[in-house]
Amino acid sequence: MSQYDFIEIEKKWRQFWLDKGIYKVENDSPKPKYYVLDMFPYPSGAGLHVGHPLGYIASDIVARYKRLNGFNVLHPMGYDAFGLPAEQYAIQTGQHPSITTENNIQTFRRQLDQMGFSFDWSREVRTSDPNYYRWTQWIFGLFFTHWYNKKTNRAESIETLIAHFETAGNVNLDAASSDILIFSAEDWQNADAQKRDHILNDYRLAFMDETTVNWCEALGTVLANEEVVNGVSERGGYPVVRKKMKQWALRITAYADRLLEGLNTIDWTDSIKEIQRNWIGKSEGAEIDFTVAESELKIPIFTTRPDTIFGATFMVLAPEYEGLEILCSDDRKNAVMEYANKAKNRSEIERMADTKKTGVFTGAFATNPFTKKPIPVWVSDYVLAGYGTGAIMAVPAHDERDFEFAKAFDLEIIPVIKPINEEIIEPLSEAFSAKDGICFNSGFLNGLSVKDAVKRAIEEVEKSGIGKKKINYKLREAGFGRQRYWGEPFPIIFENGIPKLVKELPVILPEVESYKPSGTGESPLAAVTNWVHTPEGKRETDTMPGWAGSSWYFLRYMDPENSNAIADKTALNYWNQVDLYVGGSEHATGHLLYSRFWTKFLFDLGIISWDEPFKKLVNQGMIQGIGELLPRYTLEDNSMNMAGSSRIEYENSGEDRILRNLYIEDQSLNQFIPQNIMLPRNRNVEEDKVFWHVYVSEDIANSLNLTGFAKYRIESNFVENDFLDIPQAILTSKKLINSEFGFNIFVCSDGVWINNKFYGKIENAVGNFKTISEVEKMSKSKDNVITPDDVISKYGADSLRLYEMFLGPLTDSKPWNTHGIEGVSRFLGKFWRLFFDGENFAVNEEKATAEELKILHKTIKKVSWDIDNMSFNTSVSAFMVATNELGQLKCKKREILEPLLILLAPFAPHITEELWDLLHQANIQASHLPQGEGLGSIHLQSWPALDEKYLVENSFSYPISINGKTRTQLEFPLDMETAEIEKQVLSDETVLKWIDGKPLKKIIIVKGRIVNVVV
RNA sequence: GCCCGGGUGGCGGAAUAGGUAGACGCGCAGGACUUAAAAUCCUGUUCCCUUUGCGGGAGUACGGGUUCGAUUCCCGUCCCAGGCACCA
């Protein structure tokens, strides 16, 4: 019998593909293009587990499928090689991050290679390669030299802005900018270089921003908002505090509206779009000035509910509010400033931990512009400085936060909105924040609905000149500097403090002596004095963040070697958008947002001709691990703890020790009795410090009526069908139970294992130690990691690929079950045997029957539909069905098997290539040509054409329901008239029995589907 | 708290336009081949009643509704996973 030897086969064909370069793709082709991309991996040192390649397998299937369907497919891979882990490692060991990175890449590459992916490796890119990052620096330069014109709604050269300044100052300019005062042409002309630079900085798309940043002392760097989770750093979990710092930022807010609008044009999951929408956080409302009583000061506020303005009974300012001090009355000044300083310096954790409202009164009063009543001005950290104007009008009756604050400080609560057809009951027990209500207590707004009142209030505000309609975004400018070593240097030199672009690119990352953060907030680069100080001035020593290189990498694959441009114009035009992007959903507000931002910017500059990078995005689910837990029982009366870390009594008895009170079955008495067990003296452990972990087998637990258990994690390798295989486990490992210290005792009816030795009647007793499985994240710390390497060496890459797809829908998270792979492995064996008769390759040239053709075409239809819809699990089962059916028919006909082989090729590239080779043994060697001439590789063939005529049925077995319950089946020709079907159905014996003489109400006949008789 | 998914056998899952619920695989049970094992093949496997067969009943988280017919559509409840969280 010819064996399917996957080890030999897979090795052989991978080498063959490499030698012949069959996955190399050209930029000029008459074929239609298709661009399938996997998310840029960071090459971590940990290596892959089976969850990582899930998306790669799916995208590889699509890439191969598209190729077989006549597309020129771009399917590249590369590395997001700058990043914190390599640098942290460098700090600890002194090893250059480039070395760590290189090693990690090699491991990664080896693991990818063994899976048989069809990447065109000649296009590999690495963000840490100077030939790559010179273009990241180049794009940064473009951001630096452009501003955003809101009138034309696009980025424009800074030159056009300067021209405007020359003639009109910044009057009549509608630009995305930092807060800036109006100045005239004369002001501009009189300004010195320093002053001009400050002005330009406020308009540049890449600019120096003084912001409150997330400062992580332990990592010595600033973190982006999304890198801070629950107040600690995402990597490492170090505390993060807020700190003022001047650093580079990109003016992403200029694009907020386009980033929002663009979401409607792309085929992404609703959840990712929703996350981005929330992140951008557009809200429409009004900005209204409140005047401070007995003063010239005005406090502008932003509100989305101007309809509630008659209920504004106080104001609240953020602790960081500019001019806060001037505002305070003298007697309140100290208290206010003390509160503000304390609030400013609180870390994120502290702020979040505190849910109770705090604040102090400033002593100042403002005037409610509509009620004209004086209202007190407070300061509190529940108002954020960075959103809106940093000040709010508080409407405690209709805002939960204001309500809480008013309650805490006993401030006035005046309801102004009431539910439709209901009266409001005072005092309010909670804020009424619903948006369906009617205004009252509200002057000219009385009787209006919330929606109408908002409109009306804004009209009134604008008419009286105290404010205007306003749109606000939650989105903040994107911090673009890291005080770290392992990243792209900025192409910036400060000449007399004024940043100037370096023309000569790349600016190479210099060598440093130490990778440690300076602690002063400067990067390790600051210590390289001969690099920092140039004749022109001082270099920028921050480096770019991790997302810089990954925001445009999909363009570089189109033309990775190009030294004149990010990619050649024709290549950019040809490959265009990424048609299918596969990756995890964890990048929703990072990479996926920034890439869209950069794409829109490059589009504005005419560098590319489309403004969304990824047409379709699919997020693969997580593959989870299964943890195996062993229950620990306790005796019901608590007379003895049978398990866990409680101590078992023992006593010294000369050389050996005796363990008392172990419940062990006494066969003669047929019950479990406490027994003492001799423990040989062979340990060097202090007796007092020894804990005995005792586990009893299920039968004993049951018969002793043991209840209540804790669970203890054990290595899943030793679990076979939910039972712990103790002898095997003990043979293989001493680390069976992951306990800090102690020894294990396993008690079953046949005897006991003590400290890995068996004492009992039967050799090789197994017991029945039933385990409990739990689905959990696959991770090293949980000891449940399954690596592709292990699976491949046992079952082969084709089995692994098929199984990962078979597990369930790509986008779902699902647990990895090691037993399940036997199924697909068996399937491949069966599929292999379709081509053989015992030892001999037995494919024949006989004419296929209608039945066999139907099986083939049904499969073509199903698999094509499935791949188009990313439903890979169902196509694997379609292959299984076809193989079972053809096996039953003993069909060994080339007419059937050859097209079937091509169908399977994207899923299982190795075995299909081998069988294809056997099918064309005679002329294969001569005809292996890279571009698909002659017979060549199976992966250069054409997808079989579907012919529906083989699927046409002429009769159908109708399920016959009586009152919606299926009772029988009747076979009728498909072209039979409904009248005739009705007649036959109503004369059928079973049907008559169920009708049981009751009057016929109705009969529904859906041709080719169902018959339902209603009585 | 808010937003977005989801809930189908012992398990992973299928049902692609409202039309035979449980495809395919795992596991389990039984059988064939074999000196034996492995491999392979065959049969059964939602639950309950009946059990010799025939048959009957219930059933897609729960409670309602629309419909000749609902896993699929609508309303309410519960549970699970993910995201956001003082954004005025």
Side-chain angles (χ1 to χ4, degrees):
Chain A
M1 173 100 180
S2 175
Q3 276 294 314
Y4 161 45
D5 180 0
F6 57 82
I7 293 175
E8 262 317 297
I9 290 172
E10 294 184 355
K11 208 171 77 191
K12 175 171 77 180
W13 292 111
R14 275 204 293 273
Q15 193 57 49
F16 176 85
W17 299 329
L18 193 68
D19 292 346
K20 303 282 172 180
I22 71 163
Y23 302 129
K24 205 160 160 9
V25 55
E26 302 299 331
N27 283 350
D28 49 341
S29 163
K31 294 180 189 172
K33 70 98 190 185
Y34 195 84
Y35 189 176
V36 203
L37 183 63
D38 296 295
M39 274 190 198
F40 217 20
Y42 174 80
S44 90
L48 301 180
H49 65 62
V50 288
H52 294 115
L54 182 68
Y56 301 158
I57 296 170
S59 62
D60 193 58
I61 290 170
V62 173
R64 290 173 181 278
Y65 170 72
K66 286 288 174 183
R67 256 183 232 120
L68 291 169
N69 277 283
F71 286 83
N72 189 31
V73 176
L74 180 56
H75 188 218
M77 180 51 82
Y79 306 100
D80 189 11
F82 277 131
L84 276 179
E87 183 158 1
Q88 282 299 100
Y89 190 73
I91 290 168
Q92 283 156 22
T93 64
Q95 188 171 53
H96 197 286
S98 67
I99 297 171
T100 317
T101 305
E102 177 62 36
N103 289 343
N104 291 351
I105 285 177
Q106 285 192 13
T107 307
F108 198 86
R109 176 69 191 271
R110 185 186 56 72
Q111 286 192 299
L112 287 188
D113 277 349
Q114 63 186 357
M115 316 254 321
F117 293 133
S118 61
F119 295 122
D120 177 359
W121 283 106
S122 71
R123 290 173 182 256
E124 180 196 302
V125 301
R126 297 180 186 189
T127 52
S128 60
D129 181 345
N131 288 324
Y132 180 91
Y133 68 65
R134 66 173 291 183
W135 296 108
T136 310
Q137 292 170 338
W138 181 74
I139 295 171
F140 170 82
L142 295 176
F143 277 111
F144 181 72
T145 52
H146 284 78
W147 64 292
Y148 197 86
N149 187 344
K150 288 193 191 167
K151 280 187 187 157
T152 56
N153 216 10
R154 53 183 285 263
E156 290 180 12
S157 165
I158 205 85
E159 299 304 325
T160 67
L161 183 69
I162 293 172
H164 191 282
F165 289 165
E166 296 279 355
T167 57
N170 66 352
V171 181
N172 275 333
L173 189 68
D174 195 4
S177 69
S178 313
D179 285 332
I180 187 164
L181 298 168
I182 296 287
F183 62 88
S184 65
E186 204 181 10
D187 292 335
W188 173 260
Q189 282 153 13
N190 293 335
D192 62 12
Q194 234 49 198
K195 174 82 184 153
R196 287 186 174 195
D197 172 60
H198 276 139
I199 293 173
L200 288 176
N201 185 62
D202 284 337
Y203 289 91
R204 294 182 194 276
L205 287 174
F207 66 108
M208 297 292 281
D209 196 14
E210 170 129 37
T211 46
T212 310
V213 295
N214 303 304
W215 172 254
C216 181
E217 190 66 44
L219 293 173
T221 189
V222 163
L223 298 174
N225 287 337
E226 63 272 19
E227 290 170 322
V228 182
V229 180
N230 293 328
V232 296
S233 66
E234 186 187 23
R235 273 184 202 284
Y238 303 110
V240 172
V241 295
R242 300 190 303 154
K243 190 175 168 183
K244 282 260 181 189
M245 199 177 229
K246 200 163 184 180
Q247 61 164 356
W248 289 99
L250 298 187
R251 206 178 294 283
I252 189 173
T253 55
Y255 285 85
D257 220 30
R258 282 168 67 188
L259 287 169
L260 201 58
E261 287 301 309
L263 290 173
N264 300 325
T265 67
I266 48 181
D267 182 10
W268 293 16
T269 57
D270 288 339
S271 83
I272 297 269
K273 287 189 189 181
E274 201 55 33
I275 292 170
Q276 292 208 347
R277 280 192 195 107
N278 291 339
W279 192 258
I280 296 166
K282 178 179 183 168
S283 47
E284 297 180 31
E287 198 167 290
I288 305 171
D289 288 335
F290 279 56
T291 50
V292 180
E294 294 160 35
S295 143
E296 297 289 294
L297 293 170
K298 281 180 182 168
I299 304 174
I301 58 98
F302 173 73
T303 179
T304 55
R305 295 289 305 272
D307 57 306
T308 62
I309 193 162
F310 284 89
T313 51
F314 59 98
M315 293 187 77
V316 187
L317 310 179
E320 296 89 344
Y321 193 81
E322 225 170 293
L324 178 63
E325 199 169 351
I326 314 165
L327 213 109
C328 299
S329 66
D330 292 338
D331 58 321
R332 302 294 306 154
K333 201 157 277 178
N334 283 344
V336 170
M337 293 327 284
E338 192 190 326
Y339 175 82
N341 284 331
K342 221 171 89 190
K344 273 186 248 180
N345 295 327
R346 288 169 90 200
S347 73
E348 291 288 323
I349 316 178
E350 287 172 312
R351 280 178 61 114
M352 294 201 331
D354 212 349
T355 50
K356 254 181 84 182
K357 294 275 182 286
T358 60
V360 291
F361 176 47
T362 61
F365 285 85
T367 310
N368 182 318
F370 283 19
T371 65
K372 307 293 183 199
K373 278 195 221 157
I375 56 175
V377 181
W378 286 66
V379 59
S380 170
D381 66 357
Y382 86 91
V383 172
L384 304 176
Y387 183 76
T389 62
I392 60 157
M393 65 170 199
V395 185
H398 304 290
D399 182 283
E400 281 160 40
R401 298 151 301 181
D402 297 344
F403 183 84
E404 273 176 51
F405 193 80
K407 280 278 174 204
F409 295 100
D410 204 20
L411 295 161
E412 198 180 4
I413 299 173
I414 303 178
V416 291
I417 309 282
K418 61 183 177 187
I420 302 162
N421 300 330
E422 258 178 80
E423 284 310 310
I424 209 139
I425 305 150
E426 289 191 76
L428 293 175
S429 59
E430 57 178 358
F432 175 67
S433 54
K435 282 183 186 153
D436 44 351
I438 304 290
C439 292
F440 72 110
N441 278 346
S442 294
F444 62 91
L445 295 176
N446 279 344
L448 293 178
S449 70
V450 167
K451 212 178 136 202
D452 293 340
V454 168
K455 239 200 225 151
R456 188 65 225 287
I458 294 177
E459 277 169 24
E460 198 60 30
V461 160
E462 287 187 335
K463 213 168 81 190
S464 54
I466 55 165
K468 56 179 195 291
K469 192 170 175 175
K470 169 96 186 184
I471 291 168
N472 252 316
Y473 298 93
K474 280 197 241 176
L475 187 69
R476 303 296 151 84
E477 304 304 2
F480 198 65
R482 292 296 117 97
Q483 294 67 43
R484 303 288 297 217
Y485 172 71
W486 191 229
E488 300 87 346
F490 282 87
I492 289 284
I493 292 178
F494 293 93
E495 296 181 31
N496 302 318
I498 298 172
K500 293 279 163 67
L501 268 188
V502 176
K503 301 247 158 41
E504 195 78 5
L505 297 180
V507 174
I508 301 277
L509 184 64
E511 296 295 317
V512 289
E513 270 172 36
S514 163
Y515 305 102
K516 280 201 179 71
S518 63
T520 61
E522 282 187 300
S523 87
L525 289 179
V528 194
T529 43
N530 61 347
W531 180 81
V532 174
H533 299 287
T534 74
E536 293 80 39
K538 188 171 170 290
R539 283 185 194 274
E540 171 60 66
T541 56
D542 277 7
T543 53
M544 298 186 197
W547 54 273
S550 61
S551 291
W552 71 280
Y553 76 106
F554 42 92
L555 300 176
R556 190 62 178 170
Y557 284 133
M558 298 175 185
D559 192 11
E561 307 289 341
N562 198 315
S563 52
N564 302 313
I566 55 168
D568 187 71
K569 195 91 186 169
T570 52
L572 288 167
N573 283 336
Y574 176 69
W575 290 113
N576 210 274
Q577 284 169 291
V578 173
D579 294 282
L580 176 66
Y581 197 31
V582 181
S585 54
E586 66 273 19
H587 303 291
T589 54
H591 164 63
L592 288 171
L593 191 63
Y594 296 131
S595 301
R596 294 184 57 224
F597 165 38
W598 285 40
T599 299
K600 288 180 190 303
F601 174 66
L602 294 173
F603 168 78
D604 284 354
L605 271 52
I607 293 166
I608 55 178
S609 58
W610 63 95
D611 79 340
E612 282 291 343
F614 316 120
K615 222 194 237 169
K616 182 182 169 77
L617 169 72
V618 172
N619 301 114
Q620 84 268 22
M622 261 197 316
I623 290 191
Q624 295 144 316
I626 294 182
E628 296 290 352
L629 306 166
L630 198 56
R632 310 191 303 192
Y633 298 93
T634 313
L635 267 182
E636 205 166 39
D637 63 357
N638 267 337
S639 63
M640 188 189 126
N641 192 340
M642 293 295 289
S645 47
S646 66
R647 218 166 304 195
I648 300 284
E649 257 186 85
Y650 62 85
E651 63 184 37
N652 241 334
S653 152
E655 286 295 293
D656 295 337
R657 265 153 282 174
I658 295 172
L659 263 185
R660 292 192 171 282
N661 288 335
L662 278 179
Y663 281 76
I664 293 175
E665 186 182 29
D666 188 311
Q667 294 228 303
S668 55
L669 295 168
N670 201 21
Q671 61 173 338
F672 291 86
I673 54 162
Q675 291 187 10
N676 303 330
I677 292 195
M678 296 285 273
L679 204 58
R681 188 186 196 98
N682 58 357
R683 293 175 288 106
N684 302 319
V685 184
E686 286 270 337
E687 287 166 11
D688 290 354
K689 292 187 180 161
V690 175
F691 285 84
W692 289 98
H693 300 267
V694 181
Y695 299 84
V696 295
S697 65
E698 198 185 29
D699 50 347
I700 295 186
N702 288 342
S703 64
L704 284 177
N705 225 353
L706 300 172
T707 60
F709 54 81
K711 287 172 254 176
Y712 221 165
R713 174 177 297 279
I714 54 178
E715 249 186 78
S716 49
N717 288 342
F718 305 125
V719 178
E720 204 53 55
N721 297 333
D722 293 339
F723 283 97
L724 177 63
D725 185 346
I726 293 181
Q728 214 240 320
I730 286 173
L731 266 178
T732 331
S733 161
K734 288 211 163 113
K735 236 191 75 201
L736 174 61
I737 303 288
N738 233 342
S739 55
E740 311 94 38
F741 44 80
F743 295 88
N744 304 313
I745 298 180
F746 294 88
V747 186
C748 72
S749 8
D750 297 321
V752 348
W753 285 265
I754 297 165
N755 205 13
N756 294 353
K757 227 179 140 186
F758 182 67
Y759 302 86
K761 292 153 278 194
I762 306 159
E763 263 332 281
N764 301 321
V766 183
N768 57 343
F769 294 87
K770 195 167 170 57
T771 58
I772 297 161
S773 311
E774 272 181 10
V775 173
E776 55 196 15
K777 203 174 160 176
M778 196 174 274
S779 78
K780 252 192 186 141
S781 64
K782 299 219 150 129
D783 235 344
N784 59 6
V785 170
I786 315 278
T787 67
D789 309 58
D790 287 350
V791 177
I792 288 171
S793 65
K794 216 165 155 190
Y795 300 99
D798 285 339
S799 285
L800 175 64
R801 292 170 61 110
L802 275 173
Y803 185 53
E804 294 223 0
M805 292 299 104
F806 185 61
L807 225 40
L810 179 65
T811 53
D812 288 6
S813 289
K814 56 248 157 188
W816 177 271
N817 177 327
T818 301
H819 291 296
I821 198 171
E822 305 273 354
V824 293
S825 177
R826 250 169 242 162
F827 155 71
L828 283 180
K830 261 191 228 178
F831 186 80
W832 176 265
R833 285 190 300 277
L834 276 184
F835 293 73
F836 287 86
D837 185 7
E839 274 307 317
N840 305 314
F841 192 74
V843 176
N844 62 48
E845 304 294 335
E846 286 167 34
K847 197 93 194 89
T849 65
E851 192 182 5
E852 290 160 348
L853 283 163
K854 189 176 160 193
I855 294 169
L856 172 66
H857 284 266
K858 168 179 93 176
T859 311
I860 295 174
K861 188 175 182 177
K862 175 83 181 135
V863 173
S864 307
W865 193 94
D866 281 347
I867 299 178
D868 285 332
N869 291 280
M870 311 284 286
S871 173
F872 306 103
N873 54 328
T874 48
S875 30
V876 176
S877 74
F879 287 125
M880 289 172 169
V881 171
T883 302
N884 289 344
E885 288 174 352
L886 291 173
Q888 213 112 77
L889 295 173
K890 302 214 176 357
C891 170
K892 300 212 177 297
K893 299 168 185 169
R894 176 193 289 269
E895 192 184 346
I896 301 295
L897 295 184
E898 190 169 305
L900 189 66
L901 203 55
I902 296 174
L903 292 182
L904 186 63
F907 293 81
H910 309 88
I911 188 176
T912 49
E913 187 78 293
E914 172 74 10
L915 289 168
W916 179 264
D917 185 40
L918 292 169
L919 265 177
H920 304 97
Q921 199 64 264
N923 52 1
I924 184 106
Q925 288 309 328
S927 63
H928 267 125
L929 300 169
Q931 287 307 311
E933 299 165 53
L935 280 168
S937 160
I938 189 170
H939 303 298
L940 302 173
Q941 305 307 312
S942 292
W943 194 251
L946 170 66
D947 193 339
E948 294 270 2
K949 82 175 178 215
Y950 298 114
L951 302 178
V952 175
E953 304 262 2
N954 39 29
S955 72
F956 178 75
S957 177
Y958 284 86
I960 314 295
S961 316
I962 286 87
N963 288 338
K965 275 250 168 260
T966 308
R967 295 300 177 184
T968 185
Q969 303 229 340
L970 293 173
E971 177 124 4
F972 300 120
L974 268 173
D975 53 9
M976 186 184 268
E977 291 302 318
T978 42
E980 178 61 20
I981 294 177
E982 179 171 341
K983 204 179 113 196
Q984 297 221 18
V985 166
L986 291 181
S987 56
D988 180 75
E989 222 176 281
T990 322
V991 175
L992 285 175
K993 190 189 103 189
W994 281 99
I995 291 177
D996 194 24
K998 287 175 215 130
L1000 181 73
K1001 249 200 197 147
K1002 203 173 187 180
I1003 178 161
I1004 287 108
I1005 297 166
V1006 185
K1007 262 202 174 174
R1009 286 258 181 221
I1010 199 168
V1011 176
N1012 192 10
V1013 182
V1014 189
V1015 293

